[in-house]
Coordinates of all heavy atoms in Angstrom, one line a residue:
L1 N 0.8 -1.2 0.0 CA 0.0 0.0 0.0 C 0.9 1.2 0.0 O 0.6 2.2 -0.8 CB -0.9 0.0 1.2 CG -2.1 -1.0 1.1 CD1 -2.8 -1.0 2.5 CD2 -3.0 -0.7 0.0
V2 N 1.8 1.3 0.9 CA 2.6 2.5 1.0 C 3.6 2.6 -0.4 O 3.6 3.7 -0.9 CB 3.6 2.5 2.2 CG1 4.7 3.6 2.2 CG2 2.8 2.6 3.4
G3 N 4.0 1.5 -0.9 CA 4.9 1.6 -2.1 C 4.0 2.1 -3.3 O 4.5 2.9 -4.1
A4 N 2.8 1.6 -3.4 CA 1.9 2.0 -4.5 C 1.5 3.4 -4.4 O 1.5 4.2 -5.4 CB 0.7 1.1 -4.5
L5 N 1.2 3.9 -3.1 CA 0.9 5.3 -2.9 C 2.1 6.2 -3.2 O 1.9 7.2 -3.9 CB 0.4 5.5 -1.5 CG 0.0 6.9 -1.1 CD1 -1.2 7.3 -1.9 CD2 -0.3 7.0 0.4
M6 N 3.3 5.9 -2.8 CA 4.4 6.7 -3.0 C 4.7 6.8 -4.5 O 5.1 7.8 -5.1 CB 5.6 6.1 -2.3 CG 5.5 6.4 -0.8 SD 6.9 5.8 0.2 CE 8.2 6.8 -0.4
E7 N 4.6 5.6 -5.2 CA 4.8 5.6 -6.6 C 3.9 6.4 -7.3 O 4.2 7.2 -8.3 CB 4.9 4.1 -7.1 CG 5.4 4.1 -8.6 CD 5.6 2.6 -9.0 OE1 5.0 1.7 -8.5 OE2 6.5 2.5 -9.9
H8 N 2.6 6.3 -7.0 CA 1.5 7.1 -7.6 C 1.8 8.6 -7.5 O 1.4 9.4 -8.4 CB 0.1 6.6 -7.1 CG -1.0 7.4 -7.6 ND1 -1.5 7.3 -8.8 CD2 -1.7 8.4 -7.0 CE1 -2.5 8.1 -9.0 NE2 -2.7 8.8 -7.9
Q9 N 2.3 9.0 -6.4 CA 2.5 10.4 -6.2 C 3.8 10.9 -6.6 O 4.3 12.0 -6.4 CB 2.3 10.8 -4.7 CG 0.9 10.5 -4.2 CD 0.7 11.1 -2.8 OE1 1.6 11.4 -2.1 NE2 -0.5 11.0 -2.4
G10 N 4.6 9.9 -7.3 CA 5.9 10.3 -7.8 C 7.0 10.5 -6.8 O 8.1 11.0 -7.1
M11 N 6.8 10.0 -5.6 CA 7.8 10.0 -4.6 C 9.0 9.1 -4.8 O 10.1 9.4 -4.4 CB 7.2 9.8 -3.2 CG 6.2 10.8 -2.8 SD 5.4 10.5 -1.3 CE 6.7 10.9 -0.1
V12 N 8.7 7.9 -5.4 CA 9.7 6.9 -5.7 C 9.5 6.4 -7.0 O 8.3 6.5 -7.5 CB 9.8 5.8 -4.7 CG1 10.2 6.3 -3.3 CG2 8.5 5.0 -4.6
A13 N 10.4 5.8 -7.7 CA 10.3 5.2 -9.0 C 10.6 3.8 -9.0 O 11.5 3.4 -8.1 CB 11.1 6.0 -10.0
G14 N 10.1 2.9 -9.8 CA 10.4 1.6 -9.8 C 11.9 1.4 -10.3 O 12.4 2.3 -11.0
R15 N 12.5 0.3 -9.9 CA 13.9 0.1 -10.4 C 14.0 -1.3 -10.9 O 13.3 -2.2 -10.5 CB 14.8 0.2 -9.2 CG 14.8 1.7 -8.7 CD 15.9 2.0 -7.7 NE 15.8 3.4 -7.4 CZ 15.9 3.9 -6.2 NH1 16.1 3.1 -5.2 NH2 15.8 5.2 -6.0
A16 N 14.9 -1.5 -11.8 CA 15.2 -2.8 -12.4 C 14.0 -3.5 -13.0 O 13.8 -4.6 -12.9 CB 15.8 -3.8 -11.3
G17 N 13.1 -2.6 -13.6 CA 11.9 -3.1 -14.3 C 10.8 -3.5 -13.4 O 9.8 -4.1 -13.9
A18 N 10.9 -3.3 -12.2 CA 9.8 -3.7 -11.2 C 9.3 -2.4 -10.6 O 10.0 -1.5 -10.3 CB 10.3 -4.6 -10.1
P19 N 7.9 -2.4 -10.4 CA 7.3 -1.2 -9.7 C 7.7 -1.1 -8.3 O 8.2 -2.1 -7.7 CB 5.8 -1.5 -9.8 CG 5.6 -2.9 -10.2 CD 6.9 -3.4 -10.8
A20 N 7.7 0.1 -7.8 CA 8.2 0.4 -6.4 C 7.4 -0.4 -5.3 O 8.0 -0.8 -4.3 CB 8.1 1.9 -6.0
W21 N 6.1 -0.7 -5.6 CA 5.3 -1.4 -4.6 C 5.8 -2.8 -4.4 O 5.7 -3.4 -3.3 CB 3.9 -1.4 -4.9 CG 3.5 -2.0 -6.2 CD1 3.3 -1.4 -7.4 CD2 3.2 -3.4 -6.4 NE1 2.9 -2.3 -8.3 CE2 2.9 -3.6 -7.8 CE3 3.2 -4.6 -5.6 CZ2 2.5 -4.8 -8.4 CZ3 2.9 -5.8 -6.1 CH2 2.6 -5.9 -7.5
V22 N 6.5 -3.4 -5.4 CA 7.1 -4.7 -5.2 C 8.2 -4.7 -4.2 O 8.3 -5.5 -3.3 CB 7.6 -5.3 -6.6 CG1 8.3 -6.6 -6.4 CG2 6.4 -5.5 -7.5
A23 N 9.1 -3.7 -4.4 CA 10.2 -3.6 -3.4 C 9.8 -3.3 -2.0 O 10.2 -3.9 -1.1 CB 11.2 -2.4 -4.0
F24 N 8.8 -2.4 -1.9 CA 8.3 -2.1 -0.5 C 7.5 -3.3 0.1 O 7.6 -3.6 1.2 CB 7.3 -0.9 -0.6 CG 8.1 0.4 -0.5 CD1 8.5 1.0 -1.7 CD2 8.2 1.1 0.7 CE1 9.2 2.2 -1.7 CE2 8.8 2.3 0.7 CZ 9.4 2.9 -0.4
G25 N 6.9 -4.1 -0.8 CA 6.2 -5.3 -0.3 C 7.2 -6.3 0.2 O 7.0 -6.9 1.3
V26 N 8.3 -6.5 -0.6 CA 9.3 -7.5 -0.1 C 10.0 -7.0 1.2 O 10.2 -7.8 2.1 CB 10.4 -7.6 -1.2 CG1 11.6 -8.4 -0.7 CG2 9.8 -8.4 -2.4
L27 N 10.3 -5.7 1.3 CA 10.9 -5.2 2.5 C 9.9 -5.3 3.7 O 10.3 -5.7 4.8 CB 11.2 -3.7 2.3 CG 11.8 -3.0 3.5 CD1 13.1 -3.6 3.9 CD2 12.0 -1.6 3.2
G28 N 8.6 -5.1 3.4 CA 7.6 -5.2 4.5 C 7.5 -6.7 5.0 O 7.4 -6.9 6.2
V29 N 7.6 -7.6 4.1 CA 7.6 -9.0 4.4 C 8.8 -9.4 5.3 O 8.6 -10.0 6.4 CB 7.5 -10.0 3.3 CG1 7.8 -11.4 3.6 CG2 6.2 -9.9 2.6
V30 N 9.9 -9.0 4.9 CA 11.2 -9.3 5.7 C 11.1 -8.6 7.1 O 11.3 -9.3 8.1 CB 12.4 -8.8 5.0 CG1 13.6 -8.9 5.8 CG2 12.6 -9.6 3.6
V31 N 10.8 -7.3 7.1 CA 10.7 -6.6 8.4 C 9.5 -7.1 9.2 O 9.7 -7.4 10.5 CB 10.6 -5.0 8.2 CG1 10.3 -4.3 9.5 CG2 11.8 -4.5 7.5
G32 N 8.4 -7.4 8.7 CA 7.3 -7.9 9.5 C 7.6 -9.3 10.0 O 7.2 -9.6 11.1
A33 N 8.2 -10.1 9.2 CA 8.6 -11.5 9.7 C 9.6 -11.5 10.8 O 9.5 -12.3 11.8 CB 9.1 -12.3 8.6

């Protein structure tokens, strides 16, 4: 949710061909676990 919102508002850009919400999702899983 936060990654998609930040990308939608132009705060971050996707990298390596993946949207920003993917990176934030992976980070969220690691930190949450």
Side-chain angles (χ1 to χ4, degrees):
L1 290 174
V2 168
L5 180 63
M6 288 179 68
E7 188 170 26
H8 176 71
Q9 294 187 354
M11 295 176 72
V12 295
R15 297 191 177 136
W21 60 266
V22 172
F24 275 87
V26 170
L27 179 62
V29 167
V30 171
V31 171

